[in-house]
Amino acid sequence: MVATAAPAPAKVKANTSSVSELKAACDKGLKELLTARGYEEMHTHTDVKLVLGYIGVVFCAIDFAYSWKYPFEQTKWFSYISVSVYALVSALALVYSYVVQRDTFFVGYNKAKGHVVSAGSCTQKNEPTYRLTLTTRPIRGRQDPPVFNSKPVELRQPFATWFYEDGEFASAKFNADIEGAVEALLAKKAD
């Protein structure tokens, strides 16, 4: 029986002149790092937007079926209602994205450690700097919530720190910087 080595992780490359590609690569790297540290991703933001979208689609499907069976004059009042509901839930999903979710791309929990970590990132147009904000809170309902530093940890680094000239992602450098930020976030308050 021959033991085989685990395959090497695929190298991530990004276009170094595209800030959005660089940001996406860093976001993906952070998700992988937090998942490897035992955080399970929560999909609450996605679920809320999906429910809102399904509500709009269901109203439109009912309107379609009703309009298929009966003439337009008889069904136009329901068409007004379904279009209004669809517009309303689409607007609610948009407001939710801008007001509640904002720049958050990862929310993960670790039951063993008893907390939830949220990660949000942003970039400025034509400025190759990655801005990461990490926050934490105890898991709701936990009897013995740990006490963490309540202030968010912010990390700002130029993309050149984590990418080589050819666009290859330097995951070791990235992971070291992110590990430091996560440790600072989870450091207990000094009483």
Side-chain angles (χ1 to χ4, degrees):
M1 186 172 201
V2 177
T4 58
K11 292 183 179 182
V12 176
K13 283 198 164 201
N15 181 354
T16 55
S17 60
S18 172
V19 173
S20 62
E21 277 190 40
L22 296 170
K23 179 185 174 298
C26 290
D27 290 351
K28 182 179 177 187
L30 183 74
K31 279 184 179 182
E32 291 172 357
L33 176 69
L34 291 174
T35 303
R37 285 189 62 145
Y39 290 92
E40 292 183 44
E41 188 169 3
M42 297 170 62
H43 301 282
T44 308
H45 295 308
T46 304
D47 292 344
V48 168
K49 291 189 287 186
L50 278 172
V51 166
L52 290 171
Y54 284 140
I55 290 170
V57 167
V58 165
F59 268 88
C60 288
I62 292 169
D63 179 38
F64 173 76
Y66 191 55
S67 298
W68 185 268
K69 186 164 177 122
Y70 299 103
F72 176 73
E73 287 301 320
Q74 189 177 348
T75 61
K76 68 180 175 184
W77 61 270
F78 191 74
S79 295
Y80 294 141
I81 292 170
S82 67
V83 168
S84 300
V85 168
Y86 185 82
L88 178 67
V89 295
S90 294
L92 285 174
L94 184 67
V95 168
Y96 182 85
S97 292
Y98 281 104
V99 175
V100 177
Q101 185 179 8
R102 291 175 282 183
D103 296 328
T104 304
F105 66 91
F106 181 86
V107 179
Y109 67 95
N110 188 323
K111 283 187 181 178
K113 295 180 181 178
H115 63 271
V116 175
V117 170
S118 298
S121 67
C122 65
T123 56
Q124 299 293 326
K125 189 173 183 177
N126 299 325
E127 184 183 340
T129 301
Y130 187 67
R131 292 174 172 83
L132 174 69
T133 304
L134 296 170
T135 57
T136 188
R137 65 174 170 78
I139 293 177
R140 289 188 189 112
R142 186 166 167 122
Q143 297 298 329
D144 58 339
V147 180
F148 295 114
N149 185 355
S150 61
K151 293 184 179 179
V153 171
E154 294 186 10
L155 176 69
R156 292 181 184 204
Q157 289 282 356
F159 286 112
T161 307
W162 300 319
F163 288 89
Y164 298 112
E165 287 182 15
D166 66 347
E168 185 180 334
F169 184 52
S171 59
K173 293 178 188 176
F174 178 79
N175 289 348
D177 288 345
I178 298 301
E179 286 281 347
V182 170
E183 291 304 321
L185 178 71
L186 299 179
K188 295 200 177 216
K189 277 185 177 177
D191 291 343

